[in-house]
Amino acid sequence: MSLLGKLEADVEIKAPAGKFHDVFSCRPHHVNTMCPDKVHGVDHHEGDWGKEGTVMTWNYTHDGLKKTAKEIVEAIDDTNNSTTFRVIDGDLMKEHKDFRFIVQATPKPNGEGSVVHWTLVYEKLNPWTPDPVTLLEFVIHCTEDIDAYLAQTQAQK
């Protein structure tokens, strides 16, 4: 059984790719407003929002348990609407040596909406640690909540 793993999923959304990308690249501290039943807060530790090297702690509920993930923004690619987060502390690090979240939004060819591609790349501490399938489901549900929030705020304008 391999200790290295990678899970991926695509989520079709109505929001423009750039608008969705802006949430994770520049405003992750607003995610708790967009999906409050899942993300309860994002605490800023160092760096500037929207910049590589920014460190934050996510407070969230996953699998019925309140958890934390301290992360550093490893990369922001505004051309390709991609943001990479590396987990450096928190609950995920109890079972993983390395864990990264990569989120990328790509405009649909017809110009209506986007496809959000999530990639979870990880290295487990031991072979008995399950693959983080429910965490992939969690980010999919967050993506849907964020899309609904963006649509609602756009409709109010």
Side-chain angles (χ1 to χ4, degrees):
M1 208 184 277
S2 175
L3 297 179
L4 299 175
K6 181 172 160 178
L7 295 175
E8 298 180 85
D10 287 328
V11 184
E12 290 191 25
I13 63 171
K14 294 180 176 87
K19 194 169 196 175
F20 186 87
H21 169 64
D22 183 64
V23 171
F24 283 98
S25 66
C26 297
R27 301 181 297 128
H29 55 295
H30 291 186
V31 171
N32 61 303
T33 302
M34 300 176 189
C35 41
D37 60 321
K38 296 171 189 67
V39 178
H40 312 296
V42 181
D43 301 322
H44 179 263
H45 296 287
E46 60 185 74
D48 296 321
W49 294 121
K51 304 286 185 195
E52 294 173 357
T54 301
V55 178
M56 66 198 82
T57 297
W58 297 78
N59 300 289
Y60 62 102
T61 297
H62 171 243
D63 287 342
L65 300 171
K66 290 193 181 242
K67 299 182 179 183
T68 64
K70 188 173 186 179
E71 299 178 346
I72 186 166
V73 177
E74 244 186 10
I76 297 174
D77 181 346
D78 292 328
T79 302
N80 294 304
N81 296 315
S82 176
T83 306
T84 302
F85 298 92
R86 181 171 47 93
V87 181
I88 56 176
D89 198 8
D91 291 283
L92 286 170
M93 300 314 289
K94 293 175 185 174
E95 296 183 324
H96 298 88
K97 183 178 181 180
D98 187 40
F99 207 106
R100 286 178 172 76
F101 292 88
I102 304 163
V103 58
Q104 180 177 18
T106 304
K108 287 185 182 177
N110 65 7
E112 295 181 23
S114 312
V115 175
V116 174
H117 184 79
W118 280 97
T119 307
L120 280 56
V121 181
Y122 52 90
E123 181 178 357
K124 301 183 234 182
L125 289 174
N126 66 64
W128 303 281
T129 299
D131 291 322
V133 174
T134 61
L135 191 58
L136 182 63
E137 293 168 357
F138 174 86
V139 297
I140 289 169
H141 293 304
C142 285
T143 300
E144 295 165 345
D145 289 352
I146 292 166
D147 186 41
Y149 181 90
L150 292 174
Q152 178 185 9
T153 57
Q154 184 64 33
Q156 292 173 353
K157 289 183 179 179

